[in-house]
């Protein structure tokens, strides 16, 4: 029997690519370049499974291509806001994702950004590299304390909770969070966390605000100028979720006017393009969407996609079906 044909849109860790090659008739994107909408359409027409990742856009216009062969999109990533879910449903396309395995690494990056923003880490690095550093002095690059301050989490899923654990148990931070639905009592107890009744309350109270909500229409520009204006002038905004949760222009205006102390961003509206306004600011730390970028995590993400494909092609229940 012919092996199912599987199309992988970007390079994966080689150990997982080897497993894919052993089990499937695989086409890899060996030069790892971003593919076009037409190439995605072609893949949907000629492969049984297509495995995109979080930077590949699958709008209705792509998913509705005629004469589709593809039955499953095995997404390499937990977020799937780059795929038009309604169009996928209408086309009876199955979508799977990779939850669970990137929790700790993404929370680590959120903590990294929190520390970088609080302690002006990126700015200090730039100073040393510029060879303009004149040596230690008592007032040089004074910054904000982290230990004992208040961390406000918007969204309280796996990654937010992992960050809260690191912040509370590691840095003695007080945890407050906003989540529309109730949170588990044992988690609240472990973190001595307080649930805010509104985002407004959280923004007015937190020293560090970290975003952990999914991207897409419902959270688009959730953090707009009005919300930013509620933050304390000494507060920092951390975004390791999705770029479009924050109105970039409003954030630039806020940082420029020093209405908040700083921001740390791992994700951007329209990434990989980053607004020039951000690039020109000292009080923002910028990372290139590194949340899940450890060897172990990226390998586990690939393995998860593989488990979903294996289940699909052997007619078993899919471990991580989102549609
Ligand atoms: C995801 O999986 O959604 C992450 O953004 C990738 O790091």
């Amino acid at each position: 029997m012919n092996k199912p044909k599987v199309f992988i849109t970007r390079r994966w860790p080689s150990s997982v690519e080897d497993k894919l090659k052993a089990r499937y008739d695989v086409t890899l994107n060996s030069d790892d370049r971003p593919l076009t909408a037409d190439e995605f359409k072609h893949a949907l027409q000629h492969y049984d499974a297509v495995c995109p990742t979080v930077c590949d856009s699958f709008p209705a216009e792509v998913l509705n291509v005629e004469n589709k062969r593809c039955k499953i999109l095995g997404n390499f990533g937990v977020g799937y806001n780059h795929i038009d879910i309604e169009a996928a449903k209408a086309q009876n396309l199955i979508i799977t994702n990779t939850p669970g395995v990137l929790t700790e690494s993404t929370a680590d990056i959120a903590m990294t950004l929190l520390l970088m923003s609080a302690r002006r880490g990126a700015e200090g690095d730039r100073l040393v590299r510029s060879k303009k550093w004149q040596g230690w002095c008592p007032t040089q690059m004074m910054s904000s304390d982290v230990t004992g301050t208040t961390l406000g989490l918007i969204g309280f899923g796996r990654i937010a909770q992992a960050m809260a654990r690191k912040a509370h148990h590691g840095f003695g931070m007080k945890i407050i969070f906003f989540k529309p639905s109730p949170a588990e009592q044992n988690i609240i107890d472990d973190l001595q966390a307080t649930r805010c009744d509104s985002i407004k309350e959280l923004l007015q109270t937190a020293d560090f605000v970290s975003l952990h909500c999914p991207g897409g229409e419902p959270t688009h520009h959730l953090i707009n100028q009005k919300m930013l204006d509620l933050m304390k002038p000494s507060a920092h905004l951390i975004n390791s979720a999705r770029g479009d949760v924050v109105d970039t222009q409003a954030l630039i205006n806020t940082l420029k006017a020093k209405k908040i102390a700083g921001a740390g961003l791992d994700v951007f509206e329209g990434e990989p393009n980053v607004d020039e306004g951000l690039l020109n600011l000292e009080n923002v730390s910028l990372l290139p969407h590194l949340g899940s970028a450890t060897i172990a995590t990226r390998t586990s993400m690939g393995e998860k996609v593989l488990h979903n494909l294996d289940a699909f092609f052997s007619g078993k229940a899919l471990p991580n079906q989102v549609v």
Side-chain angles (χ1 to χ4, degrees):
M1 206 178 93
N2 289 341
K3 290 178 180 174
K5 286 186 73 178
V6 174
F7 186 85
I8 308 294
T9 62
R10 300 302 295 263
R11 291 310 302 263
W12 288 9
S14 53
S15 62
V16 202
E17 285 189 347
D18 290 345
K19 286 185 188 168
L20 275 167
K21 284 189 236 165
R23 293 181 213 176
Y24 298 104
D25 176 359
V26 185
T27 299
L28 301 172
N29 176 357
S30 37
D31 44 6
D32 204 18
R33 71 184 165 81
L35 300 180
T36 63
D38 282 343
E39 286 171 303
F40 292 143
K41 286 184 192 170
H42 182 270
L44 291 170
Q45 287 171 323
H46 295 91
Y47 291 82
D48 301 299
V50 174
C51 301
T53 186
V54 297
C55 52
D56 300 322
S57 184
F58 278 74
E61 199 263 318
V62 168
L63 294 173
N64 293 345
V65 65
E66 283 176 356
N67 303 323
K68 252 189 307 300
R69 170 169 174 168
C70 178
K71 296 278 177 289
I72 176 169
L73 293 182
N75 186 50
F76 185 106
V78 68
Y80 47 87
N81 58 307
H82 53 291
I83 302 171
D84 186 320
I85 295 302
E86 290 313 313
K89 276 186 196 158
Q91 296 284 327
N92 287 326
L93 254 179
I94 288 170
I95 299 174
T96 61
N97 71 344
T98 62
V101 291
L102 45 81
T103 305
E104 296 299 330
S105 49
T106 307
D108 287 349
I109 278 290
M111 275 311 290
T112 303
L113 283 169
L114 186 155
L115 290 162
M116 282 170 76
S117 190
R119 301 305 311 274
R120 302 172 65 180
E123 209 182 323
D125 180 81
R126 284 193 292 275
L127 178 67
V128 174
R129 286 174 198 278
S130 73
K131 302 197 173 154
K132 289 189 186 136
W133 182 38
Q134 311 251 308
W136 191 93
C137 72
T139 56
Q140 188 205 358
M141 288 192 68
M142 293 185 294
S143 60
S144 317
D145 278 317
V146 170
T147 301
T149 59
T150 298
L151 171 62
L153 300 144
I154 297 183
F156 202 55
R158 275 182 294 257
I159 297 170
Q161 290 170 21
M163 182 183 191
R165 275 194 299 277
K166 294 168 205 290
H168 179 67
H169 296 301
F171 291 86
M173 294 179 86
K174 180 173 180 309
I175 304 300
I176 62 175
F177 68 92
F178 175 78
K179 178 181 189 256
S181 52
E184 287 167 57
Q185 195 54 46
N186 61 327
I187 294 168
I188 293 182
D189 291 346
D190 171 50
L191 297 167
Q192 297 171 286
T194 304
R195 182 173 182 276
C196 294
D197 289 331
S198 64
I199 296 184
K200 182 175 171 199
E201 181 191 336
L202 182 143
L203 292 171
Q204 288 172 328
T205 316
D207 298 306
F208 297 90
V209 175
S210 190
L211 305 176
H212 298 279
C213 34
E217 213 30 58
T219 57
H220 182 78
H221 287 189
L222 174 72
I223 303 301
N224 54 23
Q225 190 64 63
K226 220 167 117 198
M227 293 291 188
L228 289 164
D229 288 345
L230 295 171
M231 290 175 68
K232 299 201 242 179
S234 55
H236 296 253
L237 179 73
I238 309 303
N239 189 7
S240 60
R242 282 294 181 265
D244 64 351
V245 178
V246 178
D247 177 345
T248 309
Q249 206 45 58
L251 179 62
I252 291 168
N253 295 340
T254 304
L255 289 167
K256 232 186 210 163
K258 302 213 164 65
K259 286 190 188 157
I260 63 172
L265 309 176
D266 189 41
V267 286
F268 304 89
E269 286 193 271
E271 64 185 60
N273 301 316
V274 177
D275 197 304
E276 282 289 327
L278 287 173
L279 301 179
N280 295 331
L281 288 170
E282 282 289 9
N283 54 351
V284 63
S285 303
L286 309 170
L287 294 179
H289 204 147
L290 292 182
S292 60
T294 71
I295 297 165
T297 296
R298 291 283 163 86
T299 303
S300 302
M301 290 166 76
E303 297 276 353
K304 276 239 160 201
V305 183
L306 203 53
H307 293 157
N308 282 294
L309 294 181
D310 290 349
F312 178 77
F313 288 113
S314 57
K316 296 194 182 126
L318 300 177
N320 310 109
Q321 182 168 359
V322 292
V323 169

